[in-house]
Amino acid sequence: MILLIWFAGWTVNTGIARSGTRAAATAVPVIFGITVLILWEAVVRLFDVPGVILPAPTAIASAFAANAPTLWTDFVQTVVKGALSGYLMGCIAAFAVALLADRFDFLRRGLLPVGNFMAALPIVGTAPILVMWFGFDWQSKAAVVVVMVFFPVLVNTVAGLADSQAMQRDLMRTFGASYWQGLVKLRLPSAMPFIFNGLKIATTLALVGAIVAEFFGSPVQGVGFRISVSVGQLALDMVWAEIVVAALAGSAFYGIIAFVERRVTFWHPSNRG
Protein backbone atom coordinates (compact mmCIF):
# COMPACT_ATOMS: atom_id res chain seq x y z
CA MET A 1 0.00 0.00 0.00
CA ILE A 2 2.80 2.38 0.89
CA LEU A 3 4.59 1.67 -2.37
CA LEU A 4 1.33 2.13 -4.25
CA ILE A 5 0.77 5.57 -2.70
CA TRP A 6 4.33 6.60 -3.53
CA PHE A 7 4.07 5.33 -7.10
CA ALA A 8 0.76 7.15 -7.64
CA GLY A 9 2.18 10.43 -6.35
CA TRP A 10 5.34 9.99 -8.42
CA THR A 11 3.33 9.31 -11.58
CA VAL A 12 1.08 12.32 -11.12
CA ASN A 13 4.00 14.64 -10.35
CA THR A 14 6.03 13.39 -13.31
CA GLY A 15 3.13 14.02 -15.68
CA ILE A 16 2.51 17.53 -14.35
CA ALA A 17 6.22 18.44 -14.37
CA ARG A 18 6.50 17.64 -18.08
CA SER A 19 4.14 20.52 -18.95
CA GLY A 20 6.69 23.08 -17.74
CA THR A 21 4.05 25.73 -16.97
CA ARG A 22 4.01 28.13 -14.04
CA ALA A 23 1.02 26.28 -12.56
CA ALA A 24 2.98 23.02 -12.77
CA ALA A 25 5.89 24.57 -10.88
CA THR A 26 3.46 25.33 -8.04
CA ALA A 27 1.52 22.06 -8.20
CA VAL A 28 4.54 19.72 -8.11
CA PRO A 29 5.78 20.62 -4.59
CA VAL A 30 2.19 20.75 -3.29
CA ILE A 31 1.44 17.25 -4.57
CA PHE A 32 4.76 16.00 -3.23
CA GLY A 33 3.96 17.40 0.20
CA ILE A 34 0.49 15.86 0.21
CA THR A 35 1.98 12.51 -0.81
CA VAL A 36 4.47 12.64 2.05
CA LEU A 37 1.67 13.42 4.53
CA ILE A 38 -0.44 10.52 3.24
CA LEU A 39 2.55 8.18 3.52
CA TRP A 40 3.27 9.46 7.01
CA GLU A 41 -0.32 8.81 8.09
CA ALA A 42 -0.30 5.36 6.50
CA VAL A 43 2.98 4.32 8.14
CA VAL A 44 1.82 5.42 11.59
CA ARG A 45 -1.49 3.59 11.29
CA LEU A 46 -0.26 0.42 9.55
CA PHE A 47 2.67 -0.14 11.92
CA ASP A 48 0.84 1.20 14.98
CA VAL A 49 3.61 3.69 15.80
CA PRO A 50 3.15 5.13 19.33
CA GLY A 51 2.21 8.81 19.48
CA VAL A 52 5.16 9.56 21.75
CA ILE A 53 7.46 8.38 18.95
CA LEU A 54 5.76 9.86 15.90
CA PRO A 55 2.22 11.28 15.99
CA ALA A 56 0.11 11.03 12.85
CA PRO A 57 -0.54 14.18 10.77
CA THR A 58 -4.21 14.02 11.75
CA ALA A 59 -3.25 14.05 15.45
CA ILE A 60 -0.98 17.04 14.84
CA ALA A 61 -3.78 18.83 12.97
CA SER A 62 -6.16 18.14 15.87
CA ALA A 63 -3.65 19.54 18.37
CA PHE A 64 -3.14 22.55 16.12
CA ALA A 65 -6.88 23.27 15.95
CA ALA A 66 -7.47 22.65 19.65
CA ASN A 67 -4.59 24.89 20.75
CA ALA A 68 -4.86 27.66 18.15
CA PRO A 69 -5.01 30.52 20.72
CA THR A 70 -1.94 29.18 22.51
CA LEU A 71 -0.07 28.73 19.24
CA TRP A 72 -0.93 32.29 18.22
CA THR A 73 0.37 33.65 21.53
CA ASP A 74 3.58 31.67 21.10
CA PHE A 75 3.92 32.94 17.53
CA VAL A 76 3.63 36.56 18.63
CA GLN A 77 6.08 36.09 21.49
CA THR A 78 8.76 34.26 19.53
CA VAL A 79 8.41 35.34 15.91
CA VAL A 80 7.06 38.87 16.10
CA LYS A 81 8.63 40.14 19.31
CA GLY A 82 11.82 38.10 19.40
CA ALA A 83 12.82 37.10 15.87
CA LEU A 84 11.41 39.99 13.83
CA SER A 85 12.54 42.79 16.14
CA GLY A 86 16.03 41.30 16.45
CA TYR A 87 16.18 40.73 12.70
CA LEU A 88 15.36 44.35 11.93
CA MET A 89 17.79 45.75 14.48
CA GLY A 90 20.60 43.39 13.47
CA CYS A 91 20.20 43.93 9.72
CA ILE A 92 19.96 47.73 9.99
CA ALA A 93 23.02 47.85 12.25
CA ALA A 94 24.95 45.51 9.92
CA PHE A 95 24.13 47.64 6.89
CA ALA A 96 25.22 50.84 8.64
CA VAL A 97 28.49 49.28 9.81
CA ALA A 98 29.09 47.87 6.31
CA LEU A 99 28.87 51.38 4.87
CA LEU A 100 31.43 52.58 7.41
CA ALA A 101 33.69 49.60 6.69
CA ASP A 102 33.44 50.34 2.98
CA ARG A 103 34.34 53.98 3.56
CA PHE A 104 37.23 53.31 5.96
CA ASP A 105 39.43 50.40 4.97
CA PHE A 106 40.90 49.87 8.45
CA LEU A 107 37.40 49.05 9.73
CA ARG A 108 36.93 46.46 7.00
CA ARG A 109 40.24 44.80 7.81
CA GLY A 110 39.41 44.77 11.52
CA LEU A 111 35.73 43.82 11.47
CA LEU A 112 35.67 40.91 9.04
CA PRO A 113 38.01 38.67 11.10
CA VAL A 114 35.89 39.48 14.16
CA GLY A 115 32.81 38.56 12.12
CA ASN A 116 34.28 35.17 11.27
CA PHE A 117 35.08 34.60 14.93
CA MET A 118 31.59 35.59 16.11
CA ALA A 119 29.94 33.42 13.46
CA ALA A 120 31.81 30.42 14.88
CA LEU A 121 30.50 30.93 18.41
CA PRO A 122 27.83 28.35 19.33
CA ILE A 123 24.41 29.74 20.15
CA VAL A 124 24.13 27.41 23.14
CA GLY A 125 27.06 29.33 24.65
CA THR A 126 25.99 32.89 23.87
CA ALA A 127 22.24 32.55 24.47
CA PRO A 128 22.42 31.88 28.26
CA ILE A 129 24.72 34.88 28.70
CA LEU A 130 22.43 37.23 26.79
CA VAL A 131 19.39 35.90 28.65
CA MET A 132 21.10 36.76 31.95
CA TRP A 133 22.03 40.22 30.65
CA PHE A 134 18.68 41.22 29.13
CA GLY A 135 16.19 39.24 31.21
CA PHE A 136 13.82 36.41 30.44
CA ASP A 137 11.35 38.26 28.21
CA TRP A 138 11.55 38.80 24.44
CA GLN A 139 14.34 41.41 24.72
CA SER A 140 16.97 38.75 25.42
CA LYS A 141 15.71 36.69 22.45
CA ALA A 142 15.99 39.75 20.23
CA ALA A 143 19.56 40.27 21.47
CA VAL A 144 20.45 36.69 20.51
CA VAL A 145 18.94 37.24 17.07
CA VAL A 146 20.90 40.50 16.61
CA VAL A 147 24.15 38.66 17.32
CA MET A 148 23.25 35.84 14.92
CA VAL A 149 22.16 37.97 11.94
CA PHE A 150 24.59 40.88 12.27
CA PHE A 151 27.74 39.36 10.83
CA PRO A 152 26.24 37.35 7.93
CA VAL A 153 24.54 40.51 6.68
CA LEU A 154 27.67 42.57 7.32
CA VAL A 155 29.98 40.18 5.43
CA ASN A 156 27.62 39.90 2.45
CA THR A 157 27.07 43.65 2.26
CA VAL A 158 30.80 44.43 2.40
CA ALA A 159 31.48 41.82 -0.29
CA GLY A 160 28.71 43.25 -2.45
CA LEU A 161 29.97 46.82 -2.17
CA ALA A 162 33.40 45.64 -3.34
CA ASP A 163 31.95 43.67 -6.27
CA SER A 164 31.73 46.48 -8.82
CA GLN A 165 34.39 46.42 -11.54
CA ALA A 166 37.41 48.74 -11.39
CA MET A 167 36.57 50.09 -14.86
CA GLN A 168 33.10 51.09 -13.70
CA ARG A 169 34.49 52.89 -10.64
CA ASP A 170 37.10 54.65 -12.77
CA LEU A 171 34.36 55.76 -15.16
CA MET A 172 32.37 57.26 -12.29
CA ARG A 173 35.44 59.17 -11.10
CA THR A 174 36.05 60.36 -14.67
CA PHE A 175 32.57 61.86 -14.66
CA GLY A 176 33.44 63.69 -11.43
CA ALA A 177 31.17 61.59 -9.20
CA SER A 178 31.73 61.90 -5.47
CA TYR A 179 32.09 58.91 -3.16
CA TRP A 180 28.41 59.01 -2.19
CA GLN A 181 27.26 59.39 -5.80
CA GLY A 182 29.32 56.37 -6.79
CA LEU A 183 27.93 54.46 -3.83
CA VAL A 184 24.28 55.24 -4.55
CA LYS A 185 24.37 55.00 -8.34
CA LEU A 186 26.87 52.18 -8.91
CA ARG A 187 28.10 50.09 -6.02
CA LEU A 188 24.94 49.87 -3.90
CA PRO A 189 22.76 48.63 -6.81
CA SER A 190 25.41 46.09 -7.82
CA ALA A 191 25.61 44.92 -4.19
CA MET A 192 21.89 44.20 -3.92
CA PRO A 193 22.15 40.46 -4.82
CA PHE A 194 24.78 40.05 -2.07
CA ILE A 195 22.74 42.05 0.44
CA PHE A 196 19.59 40.02 -0.20
CA ASN A 197 21.60 36.82 0.04
CA GLY A 198 22.62 37.87 3.53
CA LEU A 199 19.06 38.88 4.40
CA LYS A 200 17.70 35.50 3.30
CA ILE A 201 20.31 33.64 5.32
CA ALA A 202 19.44 35.81 8.30
CA THR A 203 15.73 34.89 8.15
CA THR A 204 16.52 31.31 9.12
CA LEU A 205 19.10 32.32 11.71
CA ALA A 206 16.67 34.76 13.32
CA LEU A 207 13.94 32.18 13.85
CA VAL A 208 16.34 29.48 15.08
CA GLY A 209 18.05 31.93 17.42
CA ALA A 210 14.81 33.13 18.98
CA ILE A 211 13.51 29.59 19.53
CA VAL A 212 16.76 28.20 20.95
CA ALA A 213 17.17 31.20 23.27
CA GLU A 214 13.81 30.39 24.86
CA PHE A 215 15.20 27.08 26.08
CA PHE A 216 17.46 29.04 28.46
CA GLY A 217 14.78 31.20 30.04
CA SER A 218 11.43 32.55 28.94
CA PRO A 219 8.06 33.65 30.28
CA VAL A 220 5.35 31.01 30.12
CA GLN A 221 4.86 31.46 26.39
CA GLY A 222 6.85 31.15 23.18
CA VAL A 223 7.59 28.41 20.66
CA GLY A 224 10.81 27.28 22.34
CA PHE A 225 9.23 27.31 25.79
CA ARG A 226 6.22 25.32 24.59
CA ILE A 227 8.38 22.73 22.84
CA SER A 228 10.48 22.25 25.97
CA VAL A 229 7.43 21.85 28.23
CA SER A 230 5.56 19.59 25.78
CA VAL A 231 8.54 17.26 25.41
CA GLY A 232 8.61 16.89 29.19
CA GLN A 233 4.90 16.04 29.13
CA LEU A 234 5.37 13.61 26.21
CA ALA A 235 2.82 15.69 24.27
CA LEU A 236 4.54 15.12 20.93
CA ASP A 237 1.50 16.25 18.95
CA MET A 238 1.84 19.71 20.52
CA VAL A 239 5.58 19.70 19.80
CA TRP A 240 4.89 19.02 16.14
CA ALA A 241 2.17 21.69 16.10
CA GLU A 242 4.75 24.22 17.30
CA ILE A 243 7.16 22.96 14.65
CA VAL A 244 4.48 23.57 12.03
CA VAL A 245 4.05 27.14 13.32
CA ALA A 246 7.82 27.72 13.12
CA ALA A 247 8.03 26.17 9.65
CA LEU A 248 5.16 28.26 8.29
CA ALA A 249 6.56 31.44 9.83
CA GLY A 250 10.05 30.74 8.49
CA SER A 251 8.78 29.95 5.00
CA ALA A 252 6.63 33.09 4.91
CA PHE A 253 9.53 35.20 6.23
CA TYR A 254 11.92 33.85 3.59
CA GLY A 255 9.28 34.19 0.87
CA ILE A 256 8.71 37.87 1.65
CA ILE A 257 12.43 38.65 1.42
CA ALA A 258 12.70 36.65 -1.83
CA PHE A 259 9.68 38.49 -3.27
CA VAL A 260 11.22 41.88 -2.46
CA GLU A 261 14.53 40.70 -3.93
CA ARG A 262 12.89 39.85 -7.26
CA ARG A 263 11.33 43.31 -7.40
CA VAL A 264 14.53 45.15 -6.47
CA THR A 265 17.01 43.07 -8.51
CA PHE A 266 14.81 42.49 -11.57
CA TRP A 267 17.78 43.40 -13.75
CA HIS A 268 19.99 40.60 -12.40
CA PRO A 269 20.49 37.55 -14.70
CA SER A 270 19.14 35.20 -12.01
CA ASN A 271 15.76 36.98 -12.13
CA ARG A 272 15.37 37.30 -15.89
CA GLY A 273 12.82 35.29 -17.79
Side-chain angles (χ1 to χ4, degrees):
M1 180 179 176
I2 293 174
L3 292 177
L4 181 63
I5 294 172
W6 178 258
F7 179 75
W10 180 275
T11 304
V12 172
N13 252 357
T14 303
I16 294 175
R18 287 199 182 100
S19 64
T21 62
R22 186 182 296 271
T26 303
V28 167
V30 171
I31 294 174
F32 178 79
I34 294 173
T35 304
V36 170
L37 290 177
I38 294 174
L39 286 173
W40 182 352
E41 184 79 23
V43 167
V44 171
R45 292 187 179 276
L46 288 174
F47 296 99
D48 197 21
V49 179
V52 295
I53 301 298
L54 182 66
T58 51
I60 297 170
S62 298
F64 194 99
N67 298 279
T70 300
L71 294 173
W72 173 254
T73 302
D74 294 341
F75 169 82
V76 173
Q77 175 72 16
T78 301
V79 179
V80 178
K81 292 182 179 180
L84 185 58
S85 61
Y87 179 85
L88 292 175
M89 288 186 290
C91 292
I92 291 172
F95 183 75
V97 173
L99 293 179
L100 290 175
D102 179 72
R103 187 71 177 90
F104 303 103
D105 190 59
F106 74 92
L107 284 178
R108 181 179 60 80
R109 294 197 305 269
L111 282 174
L112 294 186
V114 175
N116 294 329
F117 172 76
M118 292 296 294
L121 292 178
I123 183 176
V124 293
T126 57
I129 297 173
L130 293 173
V131 168
M132 296 303 298
W133 285 358
F134 295 97
F136 292 97
D137 209 346
W138 64 268
Q139 292 87 348
S140 59
K141 317 311 177 285
V144 173
V145 172
V146 168
V147 172
M148 292 193 68
V149 307
F150 180 84
F151 288 102
V153 176
L154 172 66
V155 170
N156 278 276
T157 303
V158 170
L161 291 173
D163 186 59
S164 58
Q165 299 178 6
M167 184 178 296
Q168 294 172 327
R169 296 193 296 269
D170 291 342
L171 183 61
M172 293 293 290
R173 285 192 291 268
T174 301
F175 290 151
S178 64
Y179 167 80
W180 292 108
Q181 287 175 324
L183 175 68
V184 173
K185 297 181 181 298
L186 172 63
R187 293 190 298 119
L188 197 56
S190 68
M192 281 301 165
F194 289 84
I195 295 173
F196 276 103
N197 184 54
L199 293 176
K200 289 188 292 186
I201 293 172
T203 58
T204 303
L205 294 176
L207 194 58
V208 171
I211 292 174
V212 172
E214 289 181 343
F215 284 94
F216 299 96
S218 173
V220 289
Q221 56 187 357
V223 175
F225 167 81
R226 197 74 56 194
I227 290 175
S228 178
V229 171
S230 298
V231 167
Q233 297 171 343
L234 296 180
L236 269 296
D237 53 351
M238 188 61 179
V239 173
W240 278 95
E242 292 285 358
I243 292 173
V244 170
V245 170
L248 293 175
S251 300
F253 200 1
Y254 185 93
I256 291 171
I257 300 300
F259 175 81
V260 175
E261 179 187 21
R262 287 194 296 270
R263 294 298 181 270
V264 173
T265 62
F266 59 90
W267 48 268
H268 196 263
S270 63
N271 292 323
R272 292 176 185 172

